[in-house]
Amino acid sequence: MVTATNEEQRAAWLGGRLPEVERVRPGLWSIPVPIPINPLRYVLVYALELPDGVAIVDAGWDTPEAFAGLTAGLAVAGYTIADVRAVLVTHIHPDHYGLAGRVREESGAWVGLHPADARLIPDRYDEGFAEGLVRRERALLDRCGVPPASADELAGASMAVRHFVRLAEPDVLIEDGDRLDLPGWDLRAIWTPGHSPGHLCFAEPGRRLLLSGDHVLPRITPIVAVHPQAPANPLADYLDSLASIRALEADEVLPAHEYRFAGLADRVDHVIAHHHERLDEIEKTVAAAGEIACWDLATRLTWSRPWETIPLFMRRAANGETLAHLVWLEARGRVRRTPGTPDLWSPAT
């Protein structure tokens, strides 16, 4: 059973409000940092007290509102941006990585990231590489059967978020199993690819805590999609890395969104079951169609709202998630792909 460990924080999430800055445990603070123009509304940055300052896990978007929110939250805990000694980035999405560069500029903190995400930084956030990434995205959308007018708009749709990122190459590459050099803490890195290739969770065995980033959230599930920077089978990576954290002895999970919760194993089981239900639905829909492109398949699936009401940008995410499930099924011999423009998917037998 999954239960919120702070009902006020949960009520704030459900009520569309920003939760309070909170002292979670001695030496550990939760700081909500606002995200502009985004249904997630905020990212929860965690500040870990050190003998000479604080380390933070994630940072927020590089916007004035986010920087002000982070600064104000640190002030409640008795610190300033200048006191930040380290920024541990769970993954390179803008709401987690975007402010890391500015925090380093203001404080001299080191920035840590998994190598798999560090390798993606130039392609994703350096303007000199943007055109190549857009071309690759457009080719992928064509192979999925996205109508040309929509594909033109969607290929470059994520380029706007580059403005919410202060480009920052990491000072420290954090590998799976690394013990972070943070005095007073026994923080261990766990590589949990899926939502991004280099996603990291951080476990604190002595305090029985898991800082889960976007890997495990109490209510929603993270996007796991095929895109030009994704590995060959991101859903397989995600399901495997979910299984890898299931047995952790964590009394409490501190996610990057929504609210803190208990019941890690139950939540992991629920998310795995959700994906297998989706895999079954997709396999049955492919069988009923006989042969179908990914985009057309996505329009026939069950979503949280009717397909016609889903904004175009979110349809791109839905298409990428559908493709990730198709690739998983293909790898297990449950569906077959006929390459082309578009690729067509059919029953394996």
Side-chain angles (χ1 to χ4, degrees):
M1 181 178 177
V2 175
T3 57
T5 51
N6 183 328
E7 281 298 332
E8 291 183 3
Q9 192 182 54
R10 178 176 177 272
W13 167 259
L14 295 176
R17 306 188 307 275
L18 200 67
E20 298 292 327
V21 176
E22 180 191 0
R23 184 173 178 264
V24 178
R25 300 276 182 92
L28 174 61
W29 295 81
S30 171
I31 300 172
V33 174
I35 306 172
I37 322 169
N38 190 293
L40 290 174
R41 302 195 310 276
Y42 58 84
V43 60
L44 293 169
V45 172
Y46 296 99
L48 288 65
E49 294 184 1
L50 307 173
D52 62 344
V54 292
I56 61 173
V57 177
D58 290 330
W61 294 54
D62 185 20
T63 66
E65 297 86 354
F67 187 72
L70 178 59
T71 301
L74 287 170
V76 172
Y79 298 95
T80 69
I81 288 290
D83 295 317
V84 179
R85 301 290 174 256
V87 185
L88 312 179
V89 182
T90 60
H91 60 296
I92 60 163
H93 294 167
D95 52 326
H96 301 259
Y97 162 75
L99 260 179
R102 182 171 180 185
V103 173
R104 182 170 64 187
E105 291 169 9
E106 300 276 346
S107 67
W110 57 264
V111 174
L113 194 65
H114 188 275
D117 269 15
R119 286 192 290 270
L120 306 183
I121 289 173
D123 228 14
R124 182 173 293 221
Y125 295 126
D126 189 322
E127 288 193 17
F129 293 88
E131 287 187 11
L133 187 60
V134 170
R135 284 196 301 271
R136 287 156 55 202
E137 179 66 39
R138 175 56 197 265
L140 177 63
L141 295 172
D142 287 342
R143 293 200 308 275
C144 288
V146 179
S150 296
D152 286 339
E153 182 175 350
L154 290 179
S158 62
M159 289 298 103
V161 301
R162 289 186 295 112
H163 302 297
F164 298 135
V165 171
R166 187 77 56 102
L167 190 63
E169 294 287 343
D171 306 289
V172 176
L173 295 176
I174 303 173
E175 300 276 3
D176 184 43
D178 281 356
R179 183 173 182 269
L180 283 304
D181 184 16
L182 301 173
W185 294 87
D186 183 21
L187 209 65
R188 316 284 179 92
I190 306 171
W191 181 37
T192 50
H195 181 55
S196 79
H199 190 286
L200 289 166
C201 293
F202 298 100
E204 222 295 357
R207 293 171 171 86
R208 297 177 67 90
L209 296 174
L210 176 69
L211 287 79
S212 66
D214 283 0
H215 187 58
V216 184
L217 304 170
R219 194 184 62 89
I220 60 175
T221 56
I223 293 171
V224 179
V226 171
H227 54 80
Q229 291 189 318
N233 194 336
L235 182 58
D237 293 342
Y238 181 62
L239 294 175
D240 287 346
S241 55
L242 276 176
S244 74
I245 67 164
R246 187 189 183 282
L248 289 176
E249 294 182 354
D251 294 337
E252 190 171 28
V253 180
L254 280 57
H257 301 289
E258 301 184 321
Y259 46 85
R260 296 185 286 111
F261 67 97
L264 174 62
D266 285 347
R267 182 57 183 156
V268 166
D269 289 346
H270 179 85
V271 174
I272 291 174
H274 160 77
H275 281 287
H276 281 285
E277 289 169 5
R278 179 61 112 193
L279 288 162
D280 290 343
E281 180 187 10
I282 287 174
E283 187 175 18
K284 290 174 183 175
T285 306
V286 169
E291 190 173 64
I292 192 169
C294 180
W295 181 264
D296 290 338
L297 173 62
T299 69
R300 304 185 190 188
L301 299 179
T302 304
W303 301 99
S304 60
R305 66 187 86 171
W307 180 263
E308 296 74 20
T309 66
I310 298 176
L312 188 59
F313 179 78
M314 293 179 67
R315 292 185 192 181
R316 188 179 80 164
N319 178 76
E321 285 200 322
T322 302
L323 184 55
H325 286 75
L326 284 167
V327 167
W328 190 97
L329 290 167
E330 179 187 34
R332 282 149 184 81
R334 291 169 57 178
V335 299
R336 180 168 55 89
R337 174 176 9 195
T338 302
T341 307
D343 294 342
L344 294 175
W345 299 84
S346 56
T349 55

